[in-house]
Amino acid sequence: MFSAKNVTRAFVAGSIATTALLLLAGPASAHVSVQPQGEAAKGGYATINFKVPNERDDSSTTKVEVNFPTDHPLASVMPQPVPGWKIVVTKSKLAKPLEMHGNTITEAVSKVTWTADGGKIGPGQFQQFPLSVGQLPEDADQLVFKALQTYDNKDVVRWIEEPKEGAPEPESPAPVLKLTAATGDEHGAAADEATAETASKDDAKTETASAESSDGTARVLGIVGIVVGVVGVAFGVLAGRRRTAA
């Protein structure tokens, strides 16, 4: 039989083990990540969010740097303003120019930096930093963004280790954006939408013009009928007078 002392010892040991597991799992689950807002389709454009949690109990995050992949450069990167944060977009020359929408792109965004300007990410909090990016590559299944997280005590956490398929998650994993197969031509869909809208407007204009034309024709015919009627009445009066005189 178990004595009260043995039960107490087992409970204490279990509590210590559970606490140790939670402490070990905590930092791994609180890493910087990138999340698509909607679908991040190959060859298209997407709005993505870098989610930055604060994993410290005694300091706040005051700076976040996200480095963009050089093997699949993105020509268009537009940050959404974040209250309390200053945003700097850094561009670099491309070793190989990109062709996009008939234009030659010679530089692309290499880094985006958010620096606290009245804001911060305090203990137990997180912040999202949205970006509109494109054109996403068609020959890749994912994009790896290496991130640096700076605290107000000058500590820097480097989220730069690329996760490997089938391997355990690294201690400081880099944010990874998964790319999905395109369901259709993103730009083509937008073009079709614009074309449909233009056609609708043209049809409305045509209907309006036809209605105006029909209304104008009716008015002309009405005026002609009135004139003919007046002429007929005048002719009848004159004929009556002639008969009376005779």
Side-chain angles (χ1 to χ4, degrees):
M1 295 178 65
F2 289 105
S3 66
K5 185 181 292 185
N6 290 336
V7 171
T8 302
R9 287 177 178 174
F11 176 78
V12 171
S15 299
I16 293 173
T18 302
T19 303
L21 287 173
L22 289 174
L23 289 174
L24 290 173
S29 62
H31 56 76
V32 176
S33 61
V34 59
Q35 303 169 341
Q37 188 177 31
E39 185 180 30
K42 297 180 181 180
Y45 290 76
T47 297
I48 61 177
N49 284 286
F50 285 94
K51 182 180 179 181
V52 183
N54 190 341
E55 59 175 7
R56 303 293 174 86
D57 296 327
D58 56 354
S59 55
S60 299
T61 298
T62 56
K63 186 178 181 180
V64 177
E65 300 172 71
V66 174
N67 293 280
F68 282 68
T70 56
D71 54 343
H72 293 98
L74 301 176
S76 175
V77 176
M78 294 186 293
Q80 178 177 316
V82 179
W85 295 81
K86 181 177 67 175
I87 307 172
V88 176
V89 179
T90 304
K91 293 185 177 183
S92 300
K93 291 288 185 182
L94 295 175
K96 182 180 179 181
L98 295 174
E99 293 294 329
M100 184 177 293
H101 308 310
N103 298 320
T104 301
I105 309 299
T106 58
E107 62 179 12
V109 172
S110 57
K111 181 171 66 174
V112 177
T113 305
W114 292 267
T115 305
D117 186 18
K120 64 178 181 179
I121 308 174
Q125 299 178 342
F126 76 93
Q127 177 68 56
Q128 295 196 65
F129 299 96
L131 293 173
S132 174
V133 299
Q135 185 174 0
L136 297 174
E138 298 179 351
D139 57 348
D141 294 323
Q142 65 179 27
L143 292 177
V144 179
F145 300 89
K146 296 183 178 181
L148 276 66
Q149 183 177 7
T150 303
Y151 291 86
D152 54 10
N153 61 0
K154 306 304 180 184
D155 284 350
V156 178
V157 180
R158 302 175 182 275
W159 305 101
I160 60 174
E161 298 179 62
E162 183 174 349
K164 301 295 183 182
E165 187 175 354
E169 184 179 67
E171 185 177 350
S172 301
V176 177
L177 176 65
K178 299 292 185 180
L179 301 179
T180 60
T183 55
D185 185 356
E186 301 295 323
H187 300 293
D192 291 343
E193 214 172 290
T195 302
E197 185 177 352
T198 302
S200 178
K201 290 181 179 178
D202 289 343
D203 290 342
K205 289 180 180 178
T206 302
E207 289 177 5
T208 302
S210 298
E212 291 177 352
S213 177
S214 299
D215 187 52
T217 302
R219 289 179 182 176
V220 170
L221 291 175
I223 292 171
V224 170
I226 291 171
V227 170
V228 170
V230 170
V231 171
V233 171
F235 180 78
V237 171
L238 291 175
R241 286 180 180 178
R242 285 178 182 174
R243 290 193 189 97
T244 303

